[in-house]
Structures are given as C-alpha cells and as structure tokens.
Amino acid sequence: TILGFWPRHFAFYARYNGMISRERRISVTLAPLFMLTIFPIAVSVFLRSGYGLLSLFSIFNAMISAGDILAGALIFPQAPRGACLRDKGWRTYWKMPDTAE
C-alpha cells in the first residue's frame, strides 16, 4: 500500500500495488466518504445537535470525494462479484480467481 500526496491537484491518495477483491476495493474506495461525511451527519441528526463546523466539514468532504464515488460507481457494475482487480496506471483490470486447485 502506498499513501501519497499529489501537489499539482492538492489531492491525497492511497494505492495498492497488488490484486485486491472487488468487494474490498469498493469498500476501501468508499470508506472515507462514509466515515468523514455520512457518519458525522448521521451522528449529528441522531444527537439532534447543530454541529455547524462538523456539518461544514462533512459537506466539504462530500464535494471532494467525487472521484471516490465515481471509482466505486464504475467498478460496481463492470467487475463481476468475486473478481480480483489490479491497477496499471490509470486502468483497472479484473479477472476471476482460479477455482480449481
């Protein structure tokens, strides 16, 4: 796993240089969105508190998570359930694991 920062686009990123299951890739891709956007808003609604700064941060995070949402939305319908994914540059490839061993 590689964690990095892309200064030109002011973007943080995480990259995995191996095979990863479709389900894990989708969950890892969307986890920051849920933990930094949806979860704080749900807590604020549940506690009925008007955390203004927390809500502002959550909305900002939702806006900058557009790439994560797009990546999850592209992987979900295109790679079949149970497939393994691998990135090569900007492309993502999938294959079904060998079941006969």
Side-chain angles (χ1 to χ4, degrees):
T1 302
I2 300 167
L3 301 175
F5 177 69
W6 193 356
R8 181 175 175 209
H9 297 284
F10 196 73
F12 292 93
Y13 64 88
R15 179 174 175 85
Y16 185 73
N17 275 346
M19 298 288 282
I20 189 169
S21 71
R22 171 189 177 262
E23 291 73 20
R24 179 169 286 187
R25 172 69 179 272
I26 291 171
S27 64
V28 167
T29 300
L30 297 179
L33 174 70
F34 284 103
M35 294 306 295
L36 298 174
T37 302
I38 295 171
F39 181 71
I41 291 173
V43 168
S44 293
V45 168
F46 181 72
L47 297 177
R48 296 183 183 187
S49 58
Y51 292 109
L53 189 58
L54 180 63
S55 297
L56 184 64
F57 174 76
S58 295
I59 291 168
F60 177 71
N61 187 67
M63 290 188 305
I64 63 174
S65 294
D68 296 336
I69 295 168
L70 179 62
L74 289 173
I75 292 169
F76 188 76
Q78 293 182 16
R81 202 174 273 187
C84 291
L85 286 81
R86 182 180 193 99
D87 292 329
K88 272 188 138 178
W90 289 100
R91 296 181 184 261
T92 300
Y93 298 92
W94 63 267
K95 74 172 192 167
M96 294 304 290
D98 295 331
T99 55
E101 289 189 27

